[in-house]
Amino acid sequence: MILSFNCLVAQSGGPTAAINASLAGVIQASVENPSINKIYGALNGILGILRDQILDLSATFKNAEDIEVLKSTPAMYLGSCRYKLDTSLKSNQYQMIFDLFKRYDIKYFFYIGGNDSMDTVARLATYAEAKGEDVKIIGIPKTIDNDLVGTDHTPGFGSAAKFVAHTILDIAHDTYIYDQPSITIIEVMGRNAGWLTASAALARNDYNKSPDLIYLPEVPFSTFDFLKDCRQLLKQKKNIIIAVSEGIKDEQGHYISSTNQTTSGSDGFGHGTLSGVGKTLESLVKTAIGCKVRSIELSVLQRSAMHCASKTDLDEAYALGQHGVMAALDGQTGVMLTLKRRTTSAYQADIETVDVRKVANQEKKVPLNWINPAGNDVTEELIAYLQPLVAGEPTITYKNGLPQYMNISHLTATA
Amino acid sequence: MILSFNCLVAQSGGPTAAINASLAGVIQASVENPSINKIYGALNGILGILRDQILDLSATFKNAEDIEVLKSTPAMYLGSCRYKLDTSLKSNQYQMIFDLFKRYDIKYFFYIGGNDSMDTVARLATYAEAKGEDVKIIGIPKTIDNDLVGTDHTPGFGSAAKFVAHTILDIAHDTYIYDQPSITIIEVMGRNAGWLTASAALARNDYNKSPDLIYLPEVPFSTFDFLKDCRQLLKQKKNIIIAVSEGIKDEQGHYISSTNQTTSGSDGFGHGTLSGVGKTLESLVKTAIGCKVRSIELSVLQRSAMHCASKTDLDEAYALGQHGVMAALDGQTGVMLTLKRRTTSAYQADIETVDVRKVANQEKKVPLNWINPAGNDVTEELIAYLQPLVAGEPTITYKNGLPQYMNISHLTATA
């Protein structure tokens, strides 16, 4: 007789189109494995564990069809949180968490999230080790920002990158139709890392050379150079398209967006929330150049749009979920699943693990040698890195013209 | 021997995901018909005719495959304009246009566009009649606004409606994940007619009752009632999603968006261009209610996004193009193609024609009995009207994760 235990899974951080695919992978691998009995899910990340808000996922996901639908449902089926564990001496949060693990007979805990969630994974694994608790704590990465170290790229990034590139190509078609000079500024998410903004370059093809300028937060932004670039380009072509990261800063490190508006709040981790760099540059162009100018903020669409998700991304996210379960059953703990790109010419990535303490609270930025010397474009090496990550289109089931997603009525609670 | 003449086609107004499908229909029907020799296209609508900027489409579209790719290419392959014919006595623009028709041996002219383009069709047909010119002038409708009279709906609307509904469902998934009260305001295009904003209601399903409030420009908007509605809803549920038309006005007829910013310009027809109602309501909620609030402007994405186009819409747009050619060959002129919905329970639409003079320069608004008495939602009748228009997903060809569109390098000219 095989001894069987339960597992618990939770999701945290900002949503992506691929984070439920990782959850689907965890559920699928757990269902298949006889040494896992029940699959529990915590609502709203670590908060749901502290509050004992636990769903029985084994009861909901009884057949392969539901798991498949979950795989292509955007955002987080289990809800999210932006909550940092209270590490003060007077706090008993660790104890509360491990008490719950005991109560639910949980031996495996999977936390799907970004930078901050990996911090939580590291802390829980360290605590378990110190206290001799036999619970395997596994981190499964996701973030549209692609800023986690120790992995070639992160699930969620490829789909967001595809949305950015696809949308910019559509905007190019929309822009070129008028016989009138114009500048279109596309504001892309990315506070400190420019990966997602860089993926705008994938919109280029035989006939479309836009975006004409790409500004990442890794390089100081000069409004003087920006206007010079715009004026120069307007001499060569009619319609200019510019991709700009929300997080670009001037030489002094001040956000460009905050020159005419303050940051509009901050999340639980003390990161400022930004908006407005597009509008800021729009008024700058209007005043200094005076041509037709428009700014477009891709907003939350870039992280939640399922209609142009990357199949490669969803498949990898799913596989990382499955391998997370295998790693836990193998006895690993305090690790994050990673993708390691092979050096073969055709794209292939292997799944490995890394000590989560080595990756938590770090940010992987775009290497400076992947940004052109003028600081207004990316290099061919960066484009070659990005290209395979957006490949392939997942099959989404539609009914009456709208996608069929998993029912999330457990999240649409009354006030 | 069949006498054969040439035809000319042009596109005008704002882009849609379906306007090239109508062009593809015109080309396909012309290719198939022995009484049409060459197919010409004018660049940038009527402007291309005045400037003699004419493409030989017969040379470009030699095979069915290219016509198929054109069918699912967003915006306008031929470029657009917003140009009203100069009708003053001293103008010789009509003469210039008919001179070009003679020069290119053109007997059939197809103009694909919205309200303003139908005005051009009406004027040219009237002129031809008065001067005894034997050129058939045919209007093929398109507009995401769905505001043309004489037709059940317009090509381009279904795809835009699908983008709005699909995106709001994705935003709902994105919004529900946080355990924190929030209001999300989605600003949808529509200056005077609320059809597109109304289609937000299609995002509702078994588990998603959002958008919770829908405001159309047909009904005066009261900020007092709006805040009351928001406060009331926040007592019942955690996350509120609101769809609002860019064109909502107060009791005095002033745009809500202009209360804290002026309109940012106007197009060639003297329509003001709007932006900012989302931001205006966002600051109102922030000040008056103080909960987490975000506004999202769907911007040009709603009219150019090919990745969630409606198959029904593209197929109808294509068929209208084909039928335009048939109508011209039948000797009709000064007509616009229309869609007439059958009263059968399953959706079906017949293609007919209407005298374009009866439809030009008019606007079809949402009937007031399709808006609820409180003026903050739409009725079931309106939802039933909208539903079939978003049905079906077209097959888009992808290469390396990006869509394969028709090459539009003829539009990306140097300055």
Side-chain angles (χ1 to χ4, degrees):
Chain A
M1 183 200 153
I2 299 170
L3 269 178
S4 95
F5 297 92
N6 301 327
C7 74
L8 177 68
V9 56
Q11 298 171 310
S12 172
T16 81
I19 189 166
N20 281 331
S22 288
L23 176 60
V26 167
I27 295 173
Q28 181 60 33
S30 300
V31 164
E32 282 169 356
N33 203 297
S35 58
I36 292 182
N37 184 17
K38 280 206 163 185
I39 310 160
Y40 291 113
L43 271 183
N44 298 112
I46 205 78
L47 278 180
I49 304 182
L50 293 170
R51 295 169 178 169
D52 199 351
Q53 292 177 324
I54 306 294
L55 302 181
D56 180 356
L57 299 178
S58 318
T60 310
F61 294 92
K62 280 182 178 148
N63 57 60
E65 214 174 52
D66 284 338
I67 297 176
E68 198 58 33
V69 171
L70 178 65
K71 193 179 164 187
S72 54
T73 296
M76 280 112 132
Y77 178 79
L78 293 172
S80 180
C81 68
R82 289 198 181 275
Y83 184 80
K84 214 171 173 82
L85 283 176
D86 183 351
T87 55
S88 64
L89 279 175
K90 66 175 172 32
S91 163
N92 65 341
Q93 290 193 334
Y94 291 102
Q95 194 54 49
M96 285 171 71
I97 291 167
F98 281 84
D99 282 352
L100 181 131
F101 288 166
K102 218 156 271 161
R103 220 155 52 242
Y104 285 85
D105 207 10
I106 284 157
K107 196 168 173 176
Y108 315 106
F109 174 53
F110 308 102
Y111 207 29
I112 312 172
N115 261 319
D116 301 320
S117 316
M118 292 311 132
D119 176 71
T120 302
V121 169
R123 287 173 189 278
L124 291 180
T126 303
Y127 181 88
E129 212 171 325
K131 298 280 177 176
E133 300 275 7
D134 186 21
V135 182
K136 310 301 175 201
I137 316 280
I138 306 284
I140 299 166
K142 72 82 217 167
T143 165
I144 61 163
D145 293 329
N146 197 36
D147 62 352
L148 283 175
V149 303
T151 184
D152 178 76
H153 58 280
T154 53
F157 171 66
S159 293
K162 184 169 187 153
F163 178 86
V164 169
H166 196 317
T167 298
I168 289 183
L169 180 58
D170 288 352
I171 290 174
H173 276 258
D174 190 280
T175 297
Y176 295 150
I177 63 165
Y178 291 114
D179 184 31
Q180 178 188 8
S182 72
I183 293 181
T184 304
I185 300 160
I186 322 276
E187 179 181 329
V188 184
M189 281 182 169
R191 201 179 277 119
N192 301 313
W195 298 105
L196 197 54
T197 307
S199 65
L202 297 175
R204 293 176 186 152
N205 61 25
D206 292 351
Y207 59 88
N208 172 49
K209 302 307 164 202
S210 295
D212 306 284
L213 298 166
I214 299 178
Y215 296 103
L216 310 187
E218 280 82 356
V219 175
F221 181 85
S222 150
T223 52
F224 179 83
D225 290 345
F226 166 72
L227 288 171
K228 200 179 67 181
D229 288 343
C230 288
R231 288 197 182 95
Q232 188 56 38
L233 273 166
L234 279 173
K235 288 180 193 160
Q236 296 157 30
K237 59 185 296 201
K238 210 172 51 188
N239 307 106
I240 313 301
I241 297 176
I242 299 167
V244 59
S245 163
E246 60 176 347
I248 55 167
K249 301 174 200 72
D250 65 18
E251 283 283 0
Q252 284 73 45
H254 299 126
Y255 286 114
I256 299 301
S257 53
S258 60
T259 53
N260 68 358
Q261 63 182 88
T262 55
T263 55
S264 61
S266 73
D267 66 20
F269 284 88
H271 309 311
T273 57
L274 299 173
S275 79
V277 66
K279 286 282 169 217
T280 303
L281 295 183
E282 180 185 331
S283 19
L284 185 67
V285 169
K286 202 172 274 172
T287 312
I289 299 180
C291 69
K292 179 181 169 186
V293 57
R294 177 168 55 195
S295 67
I296 299 167
E297 193 184 340
L298 297 184
S299 188
V300 302
L301 279 61
Q302 60 203 297
R303 70 185 189 193
S304 58
M306 186 47 78
H307 40 81
C308 63
S310 153
K311 185 172 188 299
T312 300
D313 184 33
L314 295 194
D315 287 348
E316 288 181 343
Y318 184 78
L320 255 61
Q322 291 179 302
H323 279 75
V325 175
M326 291 190 252
L329 292 172
D330 274 356
Q332 294 195 58
T333 187
V335 296
M336 180 184 87
L337 278 288
T338 65
L339 289 157
K340 188 171 180 186
R341 191 186 297 234
R342 290 193 193 167
T343 53
T344 48
S345 63
Y347 171 78
Q348 259 188 301
D350 294 314
I351 297 173
E352 302 185 349
T353 56
V354 65
D355 185 341
V356 74
R357 294 168 196 87
K358 291 185 180 159
V359 305
N361 300 313
Q362 294 187 59
E363 265 181 330
K364 185 177 71 178
K365 298 188 180 184
V366 174
L368 293 180
N369 62 342
W370 278 5
I371 300 172
N372 73 340
N376 59 13
D377 206 343
V378 299
T379 66
E380 285 304 318
E381 288 85 351
L382 180 44
I383 294 174
Y385 162 85
L386 295 168
Q387 205 288 314
L389 311 183
V390 303
E393 291 67 50
T395 307
I396 314 282
T397 308
Y398 281 82
K399 192 180 161 189
N400 296 329
L402 272 294
Q404 289 282 281
Y405 293 147
M406 273 308 287
N407 185 318
I408 52 161
S409 53
H410 53 284
L411 296 180
T412 60
T414 51
Chain B
M1 183 202 152
I2 299 171
L3 269 179
S4 95
F5 297 93
N6 301 327
C7 73
L8 177 67
V9 56
Q11 298 170 309
S12 172
T16 81
I19 189 166
N20 280 331
S22 288
L23 176 60
V26 167
I27 295 173
Q28 181 60 33
S30 300
V31 163
E32 282 169 357
N33 203 296
S35 59
I36 292 180
N37 185 17
K38 280 208 163 183
I39 310 159
Y40 290 113
L43 272 183
N44 299 112
I46 206 78
L47 277 179
I49 304 182
L50 293 170
R51 294 170 178 169
D52 200 350
Q53 293 177 324
I54 306 294
L55 302 180
D56 181 356
L57 299 178
S58 318
T60 309
F61 294 92
K62 281 182 178 147
N63 57 60
E65 213 175 51
D66 284 338
I67 297 176
E68 198 57 34
V69 171
L70 178 64
K71 194 179 165 189
S72 53
T73 296
M76 280 113 132
Y77 178 79
L78 294 171
S80 181
C81 68
R82 289 198 180 274
Y83 184 80
K84 212 169 175 82
L85 283 176
D86 183 351
T87 55
S88 65
L89 279 174
K90 65 175 173 29
S91 164
N92 65 342
Q93 290 193 334
Y94 291 102
Q95 194 53 51
M96 286 171 73
I97 291 167
F98 281 84
D99 283 353
L100 180 133
F101 288 167
K102 217 157 271 162
R103 222 156 50 241
Y104 285 85
D105 207 9
I106 283 156
K107 195 167 173 178
Y108 314 106
F109 174 54
F110 308 101
Y111 207 29
I112 312 171
N115 261 319
D116 301 320
S117 316
M118 291 311 132
D119 176 72
T120 302
V121 169
R123 287 174 189 277
L124 291 178
T126 304
Y127 181 89
E129 213 172 324
K131 298 280 178 176
E133 300 276 5
D134 186 21
V135 181
K136 310 301 175 201
I137 316 281
I138 306 284
I140 299 166
K142 72 83 216 168
T143 166
I144 61 162
D145 292 328
N146 198 37
D147 62 352
L148 283 174
V149 302
T151 184
D152 179 76
H153 58 280
T154 52
F157 171 66
S159 293
K162 184 169 187 154
F163 178 85
V164 169
H166 196 317
T167 299
I168 289 183
L169 180 57
D170 287 351
I171 290 175
H173 276 258
D174 190 281
T175 298
Y176 295 151
I177 63 166
Y178 290 114
D179 184 31
Q180 178 188 8
S182 71
I183 292 181
T184 303
I185 299 160
I186 322 275
E187 179 181 329
V188 184
M189 281 181 170
R191 201 180 278 119
N192 300 315
W195 298 104
L196 197 54
T197 307
S199 64
L202 297 175
R204 294 176 186 152
N205 60 25
D206 292 352
Y207 59 88
N208 172 48
K209 302 307 165 201
S210 295
D212 305 283
L213 298 166
I214 299 179
Y215 296 104
L216 309 187
E218 281 81 358
V219 175
F221 181 86
S222 150
T223 51
F224 179 82
D225 290 346
F226 167 72
L227 288 171
K228 200 179 67 180
D229 288 344
C230 289
R231 287 196 183 95
Q232 188 55 37
L233 273 164
L234 279 174
K235 287 180 195 162
Q236 296 158 31
K237 58 185 296 200
K238 210 172 52 188
N239 307 107
I240 313 300
I241 296 177
I242 299 166
V244 59
S245 163
E246 61 175 347
I248 54 166
K249 301 173 199 73
D250 64 18
E251 284 283 359
Q252 284 73 47
H254 299 125
Y255 286 114
I256 298 301
S257 53
S258 60
T259 53
N260 68 0
Q261 63 182 89
T262 54
T263 57
S264 62
S266 73
D267 66 20
F269 284 87
H271 310 309
T273 56
L274 299 173
S275 79
V277 66
K279 286 280 168 220
T280 302
L281 296 183
E282 180 185 330
S283 25
L284 185 66
V285 169
K286 202 171 273 170
T287 312
I289 300 181
C291 69
K292 179 181 170 186
V293 56
R294 176 167 58 194
S295 68
I296 298 168
E297 193 184 340
L298 296 184
S299 187
V300 303
L301 281 61
Q302 61 203 299
R303 70 185 191 194
S304 59
M306 185 48 76
H307 40 81
C308 64
S310 152
K311 185 173 188 299
T312 301
D313 184 32
L314 296 193
D315 287 348
E316 288 181 343
Y318 184 78
L320 256 59
Q322 290 180 302
H323 279 75
V325 174
M326 290 188 252
L329 292 172
D330 274 356
Q332 293 195 59
T333 186
V335 295
M336 180 183 87
L337 278 287
T338 64
L339 289 157
K340 188 170 178 185
R341 190 187 297 232
R342 291 193 194 167
T343 52
T344 47
S345 62
Y347 171 78
Q348 259 188 301
D350 295 315
I351 297 174
E352 302 185 348
T353 57
V354 64
D355 185 340
V356 74
R357 294 169 196 87
K358 290 186 182 159
V359 304
N361 300 313
Q362 292 186 60
E363 265 181 330
K364 185 178 70 178
K365 298 187 180 185
V366 174
L368 292 181
N369 62 341
W370 278 5
I371 301 172
N372 73 339
N376 59 14
D377 206 342
V378 299
T379 66
E380 285 304 317
E381 288 86 351
L382 180 44
I383 294 174
Y385 162 84
L386 294 168
Q387 205 288 314
L389 310 183
V390 304
E393 292 67 50
T395 307
I396 314 282
T397 308
Y398 281 82
K399 191 180 162 189
N400 295 329
L402 271 295
Q404 289 282 281
Y405 294 147
M406 273 307 288
N407 185 319
I408 51 162
S409 53
H410 54 284
L411 297 180
T412 60
T414 50

